[in-house]
Amino acid sequence: MDAPTMLQVTRHPSADEGAGGEPGSVVELTLDRPEAMNAISTAFAQEITATTATLAADPTVRAVVLTSAHDRAFCVGADLKERNGFTDAQMMDHRLVSKLAYRGVLDLPVPAVAAVEGYALGGGLELALSCDLLVAGAGATLALPEVGVGVIPGGGGTQLLTRRVGWSRAASMIFTGRRLGAQEGRDLGVVDELVEAGSARDRALELAATIAANSPVAVRNAKRAMRMGMGTDLAAGLEIEDGAWRATAFSRDRAEGVAAFAEKRRPQWPGR
């Protein structure tokens, strides 16, 4: 008998479906382990890794939205009940598995939007930070509390949060483990968009549909240039941008975009 899935996959249309958009080009990944408030167990991490790898290899996917089926939590982080019984060897094995899950989200070649309602704690916030945009409902609670249980953020939190909000703001959150409300998260730059409680999913899907209506070649190359250039000096970053521009400018998407503009119609992107 197959184990129940903890990650639901739903496809939604882009904003221009019916005018050339690919049906189902927006993929919603719903965290659905309600009995543990979506805590990330070994099996859950493996499912996230497998699913994101499938999406990364699918050229019809133009944007991804990460949501939760739980009404009070996006994800409360690592499954500490499972970890409590681990030997050191098992802990290291789990570490290797969990790293792949976070990298699976981070390395998606298309834009990813997190829709956070309720608790996003520890690894749950790190999943959201692994996305490109973070939309939070007004009732969301955000924290990286790992130092309080004798570890550090290990799903990218020390790196992603620092890049997002700067050293001192990240240090304040990580060293104290304090919890932020959604408004403070927005003020600090952890949250990109703050919306009414219960509406984060709708807004995230709206954003993703808008993204997915644009040239998939251009959007993928823009994300690639931004990610690759972020840790380099300006000169190197501009060279990375130039390579991404060339990969886009001579694509069929560019030809279609120019033709559609000249003909005053919506483009029908070839996606290559």
Side-chain angles (χ1 to χ4, degrees):
M1 182 177 179
D2 293 337
T5 183
M6 293 171 278
L7 190 63
Q8 307 298 333
V9 179
T10 309
R11 300 193 72 132
H12 301 272
S14 65
D16 65 345
E17 185 180 11
E22 288 287 340
S25 58
V26 174
V27 176
E28 180 181 7
L29 295 182
T30 305
L31 305 173
D32 191 14
R33 193 182 176 218
E35 74 282 1
M37 299 181 82
N38 295 330
I40 303 169
S41 63
T42 301
F44 200 0
Q46 290 170 331
E47 190 170 343
I48 293 170
T49 300
T51 303
T52 52
T54 297
L55 295 180
D58 186 344
T60 69
V61 176
R62 297 188 183 179
V64 172
V65 177
L66 190 61
T67 66
S68 168
H70 201 287
D71 59 358
R72 292 190 296 114
F74 176 74
C75 173
V76 295
D79 189 336
L80 298 183
K81 290 182 179 179
E82 179 188 59
R83 285 190 182 184
N84 187 47
F86 281 174
T87 64
D88 287 351
Q90 289 172 324
M91 188 68 174
M92 182 53 70
D93 288 343
H94 174 76
R95 170 63 178 161
L96 298 175
V97 170
S98 63
K99 277 178 61 178
L100 291 174
Y102 295 109
R103 286 302 299 264
V105 177
L106 183 65
D107 291 343
L108 285 167
V110 298
V113 185
V116 175
E117 302 277 5
Y119 296 110
L121 309 178
L125 180 54
E126 289 175 301
L127 280 178
L129 292 172
S130 296
C131 295
D132 302 291
L133 296 169
L134 196 164
V135 179
T141 299
L142 317 168
L144 293 176
E146 285 88 345
V147 296
V149 292
V151 291
I152 70 168
T158 64
Q159 304 305 305
L160 296 172
L161 185 64
T162 304
R163 284 166 169 76
R164 179 177 272 262
V165 304
W167 173 272
S168 61
R169 290 179 173 185
S172 175
M173 284 186 64
I174 292 171
F175 297 166
T176 67
R178 67 191 180 93
R179 296 185 176 190
L180 307 182
Q183 182 62 60
E184 186 178 5
R186 178 70 181 91
D187 293 343
L188 292 178
V190 182
V191 172
D192 296 303
E193 289 198 26
L194 178 62
V195 296
E196 292 183 7
S199 64
R201 174 180 177 270
D202 289 344
R203 176 54 182 155
L205 286 170
E206 180 183 26
L207 274 172
T210 300
I211 291 167
N214 293 318
S215 159
V217 172
V219 171
R220 284 173 179 251
N221 282 332
K223 177 169 177 174
R224 178 173 173 270
M226 292 168 72
R227 284 286 178 87
M228 290 181 65
M230 186 167 54
T232 67
D233 60 37
L234 179 58
L238 290 173
E239 288 303 309
I240 290 168
E241 179 185 80
D242 183 65
W245 180 88
R246 292 171 187 269
T248 310
F250 301 102
S251 69
R252 290 182 60 187
D253 269 18
R254 193 275 308 170
E256 168 60 14
V258 172
F261 178 82
E263 296 165 14
K264 298 181 180 181
R265 59 173 175 80
R266 287 188 174 184
Q268 299 184 36
W269 304 114
R272 54 189 185 274

